[in-house]
Amino acid sequence: MPTLSFKDRVVSVALTRARELGFTTVSCASTGNLANSTAAIAAYAGLDCCVFIPSDLEAGKVLGTLIYGPTVMSVQGNYDQVNRLCSEVANTHGWGFVNINLRPYYSEGSKTLGYEVIEQLGWQLPDHVVAPLASGSLFTKIYKGFREFVEVGLVDDKPVRFSGAQAEGCSPIAQAFKEGRDFISPVKPNTVAKSLAIGNPADGVYAVDLARKTNGNIESVTDAEIIDAIKLLAETEGIFTETAGGTTIATLKKLVEAGKIDPDETTVVYITGNGLKTQEAVQGYIGEPLTIEPKLDSFERALERSRTLDRLEWQQVLV
Ligand SMILES: *Cc1c(COP(=O)(O)O)cnc(C)c1O
């Protein structure tokens, strides 16, 4: 994934189709990662590019878009306002918006995250999937990818439970699931998980339906739990995820603790973006390097000091 999130999959499908359809300018409404991918792949494909983002995004996501040389519109509003504006621009300018007028192709790209899991499990389905929810597209298309491989006979069918992850500060899908509703009540997002901050998710009802019919769950977690989970994944697996992955790991933990995931189930957890993109989220929670002089005794003193303070104490010192 050249721009360090799974959005490279969806955008490569959408822009391939955009070129076939004859679009010369491509665009998107983005919570950050989509803008990175659209700008990068448009550059490669030789298409003009203009992307729209909310103005409060992480620095890494803005820089990671600007580097490819697109026009970037930083909109003073949240994602849902950006999305509304883009629907109007799509109508008036005839541009190819990957997640609006090209959305059917964009969402099909997420099926590859289903295909490759089957392949990596040795041509088997898992028992349980835990994945993050923004618009709900990825979640439902992993399912579609699984179904297609069953239909063409590449893998034996069996029930797979689908559980979704949201941040409490933007959890319209989790709320609808918990309250047994068939509709989504839009919310105003306020969470560190900005890549998942869609208050009015287009595929929300389908995500609720999928979790229900597969006997899964949809949970939400706090920003503090998200940050702890980012550290947990890094310290135990050597994987540094962005906040969306923190949301998913924190949800996994919650579901396991509640007995909703059996430890004997084969559970696949989707980590969808790289932690270098959301460094702000963990700044101040991860300690600092020990600064020393280039001398052996300075090193020995620092080593002694670091051994007398255990990890927990370090965290308290630094918070
Ligand atoms: C976009 C995104 C998602 C989820 O997207 P959907 O809109 O639900 O398909 C998950 N993780 C990351 C890192 C993303 O950028």
Side-chain angles (χ1 to χ4, degrees):
M1 317 235 178
T3 74
L4 308 180
S5 90
F6 91 96
K7 289 295 195 302
D8 292 330
R9 300 290 182 81
V10 289
V11 173
S12 58
V13 177
L15 293 197
T16 300
R17 193 68 182 123
R19 215 158 58 167
E20 285 172 3
L21 292 167
F23 286 105
T24 52
T25 301
V26 292
S27 186
C28 66
S30 175
T31 56
N33 288 325
L34 188 60
N36 293 177
S37 294
T38 302
I41 299 174
Y44 175 72
L47 295 162
D48 286 335
C49 182
C50 175
V51 296
F52 296 76
I53 53 174
S55 56
D56 70 344
L57 283 191
E58 301 94 341
K61 289 190 181 159
V62 180
L63 186 148
T65 301
L66 286 169
I67 191 68
Y68 304 106
T71 305
V72 179
M73 297 287 172
S74 178
V75 181
Q76 293 168 317
N78 61 34
Y79 172 80
D80 300 285
Q81 293 169 304
V82 173
N83 197 40
R84 254 194 308 278
L85 170 65
C86 287
S87 298
E88 293 180 56
V89 179
N91 286 333
T92 52
H93 282 257
W95 294 352
F97 277 78
V98 299
N99 56 341
I100 299 176
N101 49 359
L102 293 164
R103 189 172 176 88
Y105 307 106
Y106 156 94
S107 44
E108 291 288 295
S110 287
K111 293 190 303 190
T112 61
L113 279 80
Y115 299 156
E116 73 178 338
V117 158
I118 290 175
E119 186 187 357
Q120 288 173 12
L121 291 177
W123 302 97
Q124 281 180 2
L125 287 167
D127 298 313
H128 206 141
V129 158
V130 185
L133 302 166
S135 71
S137 172
L138 167 67
F139 187 67
T140 51
K141 291 303 186 288
I142 293 170
Y143 175 79
K144 190 173 181 187
F146 285 177
R147 296 311 312 162
E148 286 183 355
F149 268 24
V150 169
E151 272 162 43
V152 298
L154 281 170
V155 64
D156 290 335
D157 200 5
K158 75 170 189 191
V160 183
R161 299 166 69 198
F162 275 75
S163 291
Q166 292 213 291
E168 222 161 85
C170 183
S171 53
I173 307 177
Q175 284 167 21
F177 180 83
K178 278 180 205 161
E179 292 164 19
R181 281 193 268 112
D182 291 328
F183 60 92
I184 303 293
S185 302
V187 301
K188 272 217 171 83
N190 180 17
T191 170
V192 71
K194 293 181 195 292
S195 54
L196 302 179
I198 298 185
N200 189 12
D203 294 306
V205 287
Y206 305 116
V208 170
D209 186 50
L210 178 59
R212 272 196 203 125
K213 80 175 181 200
T214 62
N215 196 26
N217 287 280
I218 300 180
E219 267 298 347
S220 57
V221 292
T222 64
D223 282 4
E225 290 172 314
I226 292 168
I227 291 161
D228 281 348
I230 292 173
K231 287 166 60 178
L232 178 68
L233 184 68
E235 291 173 4
T236 55
E237 294 288 337
I239 296 169
F240 180 22
T241 177
E242 70 138 86
T243 47
T247 306
T248 312
I249 292 294
T251 297
L252 170 74
K253 189 161 179 271
K254 206 164 169 175
L255 291 173
V256 170
E257 283 167 0
K260 291 175 176 169
I261 291 180
D262 181 342
D264 292 332
E265 284 182 300
T266 300
T267 300
V268 171
V269 183
Y270 283 85
I271 303 303
T272 46
N274 187 293
L276 291 172
K277 299 180 122 187
T278 59
Q279 296 181 39
E280 299 79 344
V282 292
Q283 213 100 56
Y285 296 97
I286 48 174
E288 307 239 327
L290 301 174
T291 303
I292 60 171
E293 292 165 52
K295 289 179 185 152
L296 189 57
D297 67 329
S298 178
F299 157 72
E300 296 291 2
R301 265 184 282 126
L303 187 64
E304 191 56 36
R305 204 154 29 100
S306 76
R307 282 180 173 158
T308 54
L309 290 170
D310 72 14
R311 267 201 109 72
L312 202 78
E313 282 174 309
W314 268 111
Q315 282 161 9
Q316 281 164 352
V317 168
L318 291 159
V319 164

PDB file of all heavy atoms in Angstrom, residues 128-133 139 162-166 174 211 216-220 248 251 255:
ATOM      1  N   HIS A 128     -14.220 -15.303  12.420  1.00  0.00           N
ATOM      2  CA  HIS A 128     -14.675 -14.007  12.904  1.00  0.00           C
ATOM      3  C   HIS A 128     -13.806 -12.907  12.287  1.00  0.00           C
ATOM      4  O   HIS A 128     -12.600 -13.088  12.134  1.00  0.00           O
ATOM      5  CB  HIS A 128     -14.534 -13.978  14.439  1.00  0.00           C
ATOM      6  CG  HIS A 128     -15.463 -13.036  15.122  1.00  0.00           C
ATOM      7  ND1 HIS A 128     -16.071 -13.344  16.317  1.00  0.00           N
ATOM      8  CD2 HIS A 128     -15.908 -11.789  14.799  1.00  0.00           C
ATOM      9  CE1 HIS A 128     -16.840 -12.329  16.702  1.00  0.00           C
ATOM     10  NE2 HIS A 128     -16.747 -11.367  15.794  1.00  0.00           N
ATOM     11  N   VAL A 129     -14.435 -11.810  11.918  1.00  0.00           N
ATOM     12  CA  VAL A 129     -13.727 -10.652  11.363  1.00  0.00           C
ATOM     13  C   VAL A 129     -14.015  -9.447  12.256  1.00  0.00           C
ATOM     14  O   VAL A 129     -15.159  -9.235  12.654  1.00  0.00           O
ATOM     15  CB  VAL A 129     -14.235 -10.375   9.919  1.00  0.00           C
ATOM     16  CG1 VAL A 129     -13.974  -8.953   9.512  1.00  0.00           C
ATOM     17  CG2 VAL A 129     -13.601 -11.353   8.933  1.00  0.00           C
ATOM     18  N   VAL A 130     -12.972  -8.687  12.582  1.00  0.00           N
ATOM     19  CA  VAL A 130     -13.180  -7.410  13.268  1.00  0.00           C
ATOM     20  C   VAL A 130     -12.578  -6.325  12.382  1.00  0.00           C
ATOM     21  O   VAL A 130     -11.397  -6.377  12.033  1.00  0.00           O
ATOM     22  CB  VAL A 130     -12.517  -7.382  14.667  1.00  0.00           C
ATOM     23  CG1 VAL A 130     -12.857  -6.082  15.391  1.00  0.00           C
ATOM     24  CG2 VAL A 130     -12.947  -8.583  15.501  1.00  0.00           C
ATOM     25  N   ALA A 131     -13.382  -5.344  11.980  1.00  0.00           N
ATOM     26  CA  ALA A 131     -12.917  -4.308  11.048  1.00  0.00           C
ATOM     27  C   ALA A 131     -13.482  -2.945  11.448  1.00  0.00           C
ATOM     28  O   ALA A 131     -14.560  -2.868  12.045  1.00  0.00           O
ATOM     29  CB  ALA A 131     -13.349  -4.665   9.621  1.00  0.00           C
ATOM     30  N   PRO A 132     -12.761  -1.871  11.088  1.00  0.00           N
ATOM     31  CA  PRO A 132     -13.230  -0.533  11.440  1.00  0.00           C
ATOM     32  C   PRO A 132     -14.363  -0.062  10.522  1.00  0.00           C
ATOM     33  O   PRO A 132     -14.449  -0.493   9.375  1.00  0.00           O
ATOM     34  CB  PRO A 132     -11.983   0.336  11.240  1.00  0.00           C
ATOM     35  CG  PRO A 132     -11.191  -0.383  10.206  1.00  0.00           C
ATOM     36  CD  PRO A 132     -11.466  -1.849  10.397  1.00  0.00           C
ATOM     37  N   LEU A 133     -15.185   0.844  11.043  1.00  0.00           N
ATOM     38  CA  LEU A 133     -16.307   1.395  10.277  1.00  0.00           C
ATOM     39  C   LEU A 133     -16.201   2.912  10.190  1.00  0.00           C
ATOM     40  O   LEU A 133     -16.181   3.591  11.228  1.00  0.00           O
ATOM     41  CB  LEU A 133     -17.634   1.088  10.972  1.00  0.00           C
ATOM     42  CG  LEU A 133     -18.014  -0.359  11.253  1.00  0.00           C
ATOM     43  CD1 LEU A 133     -19.169  -0.415  12.236  1.00  0.00           C
ATOM     44  CD2 LEU A 133     -18.380  -1.063   9.974  1.00  0.00           C
ATOM     45  N   PHE A 139     -16.263  -2.763   5.514  1.00  0.00           N
ATOM     46  CA  PHE A 139     -16.847  -3.844   6.318  1.00  0.00           C
ATOM     47  C   PHE A 139     -17.754  -4.734   5.464  1.00  0.00           C
ATOM     48  O   PHE A 139     -17.616  -5.956   5.435  1.00  0.00           O
ATOM     49  CB  PHE A 139     -17.640  -3.173   7.445  1.00  0.00           C
ATOM     50  CG  PHE A 139     -18.196  -4.084   8.501  1.00  0.00           C
ATOM     51  CD1 PHE A 139     -17.354  -4.776   9.359  1.00  0.00           C
ATOM     52  CD2 PHE A 139     -19.573  -4.210   8.669  1.00  0.00           C
ATOM     53  CE1 PHE A 139     -17.882  -5.581  10.365  1.00  0.00           C
ATOM     54  CE2 PHE A 139     -20.098  -5.007   9.665  1.00  0.00           C
ATOM     55  CZ  PHE A 139     -19.258  -5.696  10.524  1.00  0.00           C
ATOM     56  N   PHE A 162     -19.182 -11.126  11.684  1.00  0.00           N
ATOM     57  CA  PHE A 162     -18.619  -9.813  11.351  1.00  0.00           C
ATOM     58  C   PHE A 162     -18.866  -8.828  12.488  1.00  0.00           C
ATOM     59  O   PHE A 162     -20.017  -8.519  12.814  1.00  0.00           O
ATOM     60  CB  PHE A 162     -19.255  -9.274  10.061  1.00  0.00           C
ATOM     61  CG  PHE A 162     -18.571  -9.777   8.830  1.00  0.00           C
ATOM     62  CD1 PHE A 162     -18.761 -11.082   8.390  1.00  0.00           C
ATOM     63  CD2 PHE A 162     -17.704  -8.951   8.116  1.00  0.00           C
ATOM     64  CE1 PHE A 162     -18.105 -11.555   7.266  1.00  0.00           C
ATOM     65  CE2 PHE A 162     -17.049  -9.411   6.990  1.00  0.00           C
ATOM     66  CZ  PHE A 162     -17.243 -10.717   6.557  1.00  0.00           C
ATOM     67  N   SER A 163     -17.769  -8.340  13.089  1.00  0.00           N
ATOM     68  CA  SER A 163     -17.891  -7.331  14.150  1.00  0.00           C
ATOM     69  C   SER A 163     -17.210  -6.033  13.727  1.00  0.00           C
ATOM     70  O   SER A 163     -16.119  -6.047  13.163  1.00  0.00           O
ATOM     71  CB  SER A 163     -17.276  -7.856  15.452  1.00  0.00           C
ATOM     72  OG  SER A 163     -18.073  -8.912  15.973  1.00  0.00           O
ATOM     73  N   GLY A 164     -17.874  -4.913  14.007  1.00  0.00           N
ATOM     74  CA  GLY A 164     -17.403  -3.601  13.565  1.00  0.00           C
ATOM     75  C   GLY A 164     -16.906  -2.744  14.721  1.00  0.00           C
ATOM     76  O   GLY A 164     -17.330  -2.908  15.870  1.00  0.00           O
ATOM     77  N   ALA A 165     -15.989  -1.811  14.395  1.00  0.00           N
ATOM     78  CA  ALA A 165     -15.358  -0.965  15.403  1.00  0.00           C
ATOM     79  C   ALA A 165     -15.557   0.513  15.080  1.00  0.00           C
ATOM     80  O   ALA A 165     -15.309   0.937  13.949  1.00  0.00           O
ATOM     81  CB  ALA A 165     -13.861  -1.277  15.474  1.00  0.00           C
ATOM     82  N   GLN A 166     -16.002   1.275  16.076  1.00  0.00           N
ATOM     83  CA  GLN A 166     -16.106   2.739  15.928  1.00  0.00           C
ATOM     84  C   GLN A 166     -15.535   3.421  17.161  1.00  0.00           C
ATOM     85  O   GLN A 166     -15.401   2.810  18.229  1.00  0.00           O
ATOM     86  CB  GLN A 166     -17.576   3.150  15.747  1.00  0.00           C
ATOM     87  CG  GLN A 166     -18.169   2.687  14.421  1.00  0.00           C
ATOM     88  CD  GLN A 166     -19.205   3.657  13.890  1.00  0.00           C
ATOM     89  OE1 GLN A 166     -20.274   3.777  14.461  1.00  0.00           O
ATOM     90  NE2 GLN A 166     -18.876   4.357  12.808  1.00  0.00           N
ATOM     91  N   ALA A 174     -22.580   2.079  15.591  1.00  0.00           N
ATOM     92  CA  ALA A 174     -22.617   1.315  16.847  1.00  0.00           C
ATOM     93  C   ALA A 174     -23.885   1.636  17.641  1.00  0.00           C
ATOM     94  O   ALA A 174     -24.512   0.754  18.232  1.00  0.00           O
ATOM     95  CB  ALA A 174     -21.372   1.602  17.682  1.00  0.00           C
ATOM     96  N   ALA A 211     -23.730  -7.181  10.636  1.00  0.00           N
ATOM     97  CA  ALA A 211     -23.345  -7.616  11.988  1.00  0.00           C
ATOM     98  C   ALA A 211     -24.465  -8.456  12.602  1.00  0.00           C
ATOM     99  O   ALA A 211     -24.213  -9.487  13.229  1.00  0.00           O
ATOM    100  CB  ALA A 211     -23.021  -6.406  12.862  1.00  0.00           C
ATOM    101  N   GLY A 216     -22.589 -11.123  14.726  1.00  0.00           N
ATOM    102  CA  GLY A 216     -21.441 -10.344  15.191  1.00  0.00           C
ATOM    103  C   GLY A 216     -21.890  -9.223  16.122  1.00  0.00           C
ATOM    104  O   GLY A 216     -22.991  -9.268  16.683  1.00  0.00           O
ATOM    105  N   ASN A 217     -21.018  -8.222  16.279  1.00  0.00           N
ATOM    106  CA  ASN A 217     -21.300  -7.094  17.169  1.00  0.00           C
ATOM    107  C   ASN A 217     -20.756  -5.815  16.552  1.00  0.00           C
ATOM    108  O   ASN A 217     -19.884  -5.873  15.688  1.00  0.00           O
ATOM    109  CB  ASN A 217     -20.604  -7.293  18.519  1.00  0.00           C
ATOM    110  CG  ASN A 217     -21.274  -8.364  19.349  1.00  0.00           C
ATOM    111  OD1 ASN A 217     -22.287  -8.113  19.985  1.00  0.00           O
ATOM    112  ND2 ASN A 217     -20.746  -9.576  19.306  1.00  0.00           N
ATOM    113  N   ILE A 218     -21.238  -4.671  17.024  1.00  0.00           N
ATOM    114  CA  ILE A 218     -20.587  -3.403  16.690  1.00  0.00           C
ATOM    115  C   ILE A 218     -20.384  -2.659  18.005  1.00  0.00           C
ATOM    116  O   ILE A 218     -21.328  -2.469  18.770  1.00  0.00           O
ATOM    117  CB  ILE A 218     -21.429  -2.560  15.701  1.00  0.00           C
ATOM    118  CG1 ILE A 218     -21.638  -3.348  14.400  1.00  0.00           C
ATOM    119  CG2 ILE A 218     -20.710  -1.235  15.404  1.00  0.00           C
ATOM    120  CD1 ILE A 218     -22.451  -2.630  13.339  1.00  0.00           C
ATOM    121  N   GLU A 219     -19.128  -2.322  18.274  1.00  0.00           N
ATOM    122  CA  GLU A 219     -18.792  -1.691  19.547  1.00  0.00           C
ATOM    123  C   GLU A 219     -18.121  -0.345  19.298  1.00  0.00           C
ATOM    124  O   GLU A 219     -17.565  -0.106  18.225  1.00  0.00           O
ATOM    125  CB  GLU A 219     -17.806  -2.578  20.328  1.00  0.00           C
ATOM    126  CG  GLU A 219     -18.447  -3.542  21.302  1.00  0.00           C
ATOM    127  CD  GLU A 219     -19.236  -2.859  22.422  1.00  0.00           C
ATOM    128  OE1 GLU A 219     -19.111  -1.617  22.617  1.00  0.00           O
ATOM    129  OE2 GLU A 219     -19.986  -3.568  23.107  1.00  0.00           O
ATOM    130  N   SER A 220     -18.174   0.505  20.320  1.00  0.00           N
ATOM    131  CA  SER A 220     -17.415   1.754  20.239  1.00  0.00           C
ATOM    132  C   SER A 220     -16.482   1.846  21.436  1.00  0.00           C
ATOM    133  O   SER A 220     -16.750   1.270  22.489  1.00  0.00           O
ATOM    134  CB  SER A 220     -18.360   2.951  20.195  1.00  0.00           C
ATOM    135  OG  SER A 220     -19.196   2.950  21.329  1.00  0.00           O
ATOM    136  N   THR A 248      -9.854  -0.466  16.214  1.00  0.00           N
ATOM    137  CA  THR A 248     -10.190  -1.865  15.942  1.00  0.00           C
ATOM    138  C   THR A 248      -9.619  -2.788  17.019  1.00  0.00           C
ATOM    139  O   THR A 248     -10.303  -3.692  17.498  1.00  0.00           O
ATOM    140  CB  THR A 248      -9.665  -2.252  14.537  1.00  0.00           C
ATOM    141  OG1 THR A 248     -10.064  -1.230  13.622  1.00  0.00           O
ATOM    142  CG2 THR A 248     -10.237  -3.569  14.077  1.00  0.00           C
ATOM    143  N   THR A 251     -11.521  -2.401  20.224  1.00  0.00           N
ATOM    144  CA  THR A 251     -12.810  -3.103  20.102  1.00  0.00           C
ATOM    145  C   THR A 251     -12.607  -4.607  20.254  1.00  0.00           C
ATOM    146  O   THR A 251     -13.370  -5.283  20.940  1.00  0.00           O
ATOM    147  CB  THR A 251     -13.458  -2.761  18.745  1.00  0.00           C
ATOM    148  OG1 THR A 251     -13.730  -1.367  18.726  1.00  0.00           O
ATOM    149  CG2 THR A 251     -14.744  -3.550  18.518  1.00  0.00           C
ATOM    150  N   LEU A 255     -14.417  -6.928  23.065  1.00  0.00           N
ATOM    151  CA  LEU A 255     -15.243  -8.086  22.695  1.00  0.00           C
ATOM    152  C   LEU A 255     -14.718  -9.370  23.340  1.00  0.00           C
ATOM    153  O   LEU A 255     -15.492 -10.212  23.785  1.00  0.00           O
ATOM    154  CB  LEU A 255     -15.302  -8.244  21.167  1.00  0.00           C
ATOM    155  CG  LEU A 255     -16.071  -7.164  20.397  1.00  0.00           C
ATOM    156  CD1 LEU A 255     -15.905  -7.355  18.888  1.00  0.00           C
ATOM    157  CD2 LEU A 255     -17.549  -7.161  20.773  1.00  0.00           C
TER     158      LEU A 255
END
